Amino acid sequence: MAQVTRKSWEAAFAKLEASLKKLSPSKAKDLAALDRLRVALLGRSGTLTELLKSLKDLSIEERRELGPKAQELRAALEAAFDARKTALEAQADDDAAAENALDLTLPPHVPPRGRVHPLTSTLEEMTRILSLMGFSWAEGPLVESDDNNFTKLNIPEHHPARGMFDTFYLKDSPLLMRTHTSPVQIRTMESTRPPLRIISPGRVFRHEAVDATHSAVFHQVEGLYIDKGVSFADLKGTLDVFMQKLFGAKTRTRFRPSYFPFTEPSAEVDVSCLFCESKGCSICKNSGWIELLGAGVVHPNVLSAVGYDPEVWSGFAFGIGVERIAMLRLGVSDIRAFYENDLRFLKQFDENLV
Ligand code: FA5
């Protein structure tokens, strides 16, 4: 290293002071830059440290004169480093706080809005109309006894009518999945004194091949009215009004003779085709009519089975498939669409927005 003289020392000191105008601690952008600068100036081989060390090569007088200048600069620099460090740390805290802060200007997260399923809205519309007509709500379990599902409905064991219902029996149990909502007739009559007027909506199960109009799990609404002097005419009047309220004032009904063991007489009830106004189309198979439900006058044997005197009481009952009504109301041609949970299908029914 070259010989240190007063002149060379003063030149180096002046150069250092000049460089501090550009590279002062107060200009360090972050803590890392500040630390690099501190090491470069005040570290073990820092510029100012080297200048202080080199004072030893000067005379005593020179040291006395120049030493305090260098010490003064070191003290000033240390104070400046401390001040900048405090400021940068406070800034870092503020930045972190701002990052975690609640931004009230952000748009809110809106969860997707749900809709009522078309089967539910159809069921609600059916029960709304029927309750206005004086029917109250009754419920029964999905797992039923053979007695309630068949025997007390005048379908004794080995009766060929049991073949009409492909039943799911439970393993190692005398119970079964109900094949229709009619067992609720039995449950309600056994627990209520007449007169009564009930509807019972719910799920039913049949071991059936699934196609566009048949499902193995579907829904029915049962209706039952028991009083003195109830006749087939009451059934006709009730279903006429019900269908007109459901499908519009022009709707007509047609009763075709049929057979159910628990009603006598029994009927299949059709409504005039809504798609072609009974002119005949592919949906009604050119007949002008669509089959919707089974109904009839409650069989005296059913009344006797629940302890009602058939000489005193009479009544009518009906059982409607909810899916079939929903298909007609909403123009759905395949029953399976209701169960697939495909939002593209379900979103079509905007009337159902909750
Ligand atoms: C019955 O279930 C009788 N319990 C109805 C009844 C009640 C008659 C009271 C007399 C007195 P049926 O099996 O026909 O009847 O079914 C009634 C309705 O359920 C049918 O008209 C149809 O709309 C609907 N339905 C029947 N099977 C299915 C199926 N696999 N998928 C969808 N809907 C069906």
Side-chain angles (χ1 to χ4, degrees):
M1 198 180 171
Q3 176 72 39
V4 178
T5 64
R6 175 185 182 120
K7 207 172 161 204
S8 70
W9 193 95
E10 281 183 325
F13 190 79
K15 195 176 162 199
L16 172 62
E17 279 188 316
S19 75
L20 286 178
K21 285 192 184 120
K22 267 195 188 164
L23 270 177
S24 80
S26 65
K27 289 186 181 150
K29 283 204 180 79
D30 52 37
L31 287 166
L34 186 69
D35 204 48
R36 280 196 299 277
L37 186 60
R38 196 187 54 73
V39 172
L41 294 171
L42 304 176
R44 225 191 272 176
S45 325
T47 323
L48 185 55
T49 314
E50 289 297 336
L51 271 173
L52 280 160
K53 280 191 213 158
S54 65
L55 280 171
K56 70 175 186 335
D57 297 332
L58 300 178
S59 66
I60 290 215
E61 290 75 31
E62 286 168 334
R63 268 189 250 166
R64 278 207 191 113
E65 197 188 325
L66 300 177
K69 264 173 97 175
Q71 292 295 359
E72 220 174 89
L73 180 61
R74 181 156 82 167
L77 276 174
E78 277 170 353
F81 275 113
D82 285 351
R84 185 65 185 152
K85 191 172 180 225
T86 309
L88 283 173
E89 280 171 351
Q91 180 67 45
D93 284 352
D94 285 356
D95 289 351
E99 210 167 283
N100 298 329
L102 188 63
D103 183 353
L104 295 175
T105 63
L106 278 175
H109 170 69
V110 184
R113 288 220 294 169
R115 288 149 209 258
V116 174
H117 192 280
L119 282 181
T120 307
S121 69
T122 300
L123 191 60
E124 278 172 2
E125 179 60 2
M126 291 167 75
T127 54
R128 187 188 70 80
I129 297 167
L130 288 166
S131 34
L132 288 174
M133 294 169 77
F135 288 84
S136 54
W137 187 288
E139 273 182 30
L142 306 184
V143 174
E144 258 300 0
S145 67
D146 194 275
D147 248 15
N148 286 343
N149 198 77
F150 293 124
T151 315
K152 288 178 175 168
L153 285 165
N154 201 31
I155 318 175
E157 222 174 309
H158 310 304
H159 191 293
R162 288 201 183 205
M164 281 161 55
F165 306 104
D166 288 318
T167 311
F168 288 110
Y169 288 93
L170 300 192
K171 214 174 171 190
D172 304 326
S173 160
L175 300 175
L176 47 87
M177 302 307 291
R178 67 178 184 187
T179 54
H180 51 172
T181 42
S182 298
V184 186
Q185 290 187 33
I186 302 298
R187 290 179 170 270
T188 312
M189 287 193 281
E190 282 184 336
S191 60
T192 319
R193 294 174 66 81
L196 56 90
R197 196 178 345 209
I198 54 121
I199 44 169
S200 182
R203 199 173 304 164
V204 301
F205 308 83
R206 289 187 196 175
H207 190 267
E208 285 204 41
V210 175
D211 62 23
T213 51
H214 291 84
S215 171
V217 179
F218 60 101
H219 300 80
Q220 288 186 338
V221 171
E222 190 81 7
L224 174 69
Y225 177 34
I226 305 282
D227 206 335
K228 289 177 180 160
V230 178
S231 71
F232 200 90
D234 297 299
L235 171 64
K236 281 198 81 175
T238 303
L239 289 178
D240 273 354
V241 172
F242 179 37
M243 292 301 148
Q244 281 171 6
K245 294 280 175 216
L246 203 53
F247 295 121
K250 284 191 186 158
T251 311
R252 284 169 299 126
T253 51
R254 179 173 82 166
F255 289 70
R256 280 182 293 112
S258 182
Y259 171 70
F260 294 103
F262 34 93
T263 46
E264 181 60 39
S266 303
E268 295 281 356
V269 184
D270 305 337
V271 290
S272 49
C273 181
L274 307 163
F275 298 98
C276 63
E277 296 187 340
S278 290
K279 290 190 187 85
C281 66
S282 62
I283 292 172
C284 62
K285 297 190 182 94
N286 283 321
S287 69
W289 297 93
I290 294 176
E291 181 190 320
L292 275 190
L293 65 126
V297 171
V298 179
H299 197 289
N301 287 355
V302 174
L303 296 174
S304 300
V306 296
Y308 286 10
D309 183 351
E311 297 299 324
V312 178
W313 303 102
S314 59
F316 67 69
F318 57 84
I320 312 176
V322 177
E323 279 78 352
R324 300 272 170 89
I325 301 271
M327 288 168 83
L328 276 185
R329 268 181 92 225
L330 306 170
V332 174
S333 56
D334 194 321
I335 198 169
R336 289 166 286 203
F338 290 123
Y339 313 116
E340 283 165 354
N341 235 358
D342 184 340
L343 287 181
R344 289 168 304 176
F345 168 74
L346 296 172
K347 275 182 178 170
Q348 293 174 79
F349 308 110
D350 270 352
E351 55 156 359
N352 301 329
L353 269 179
V354 277

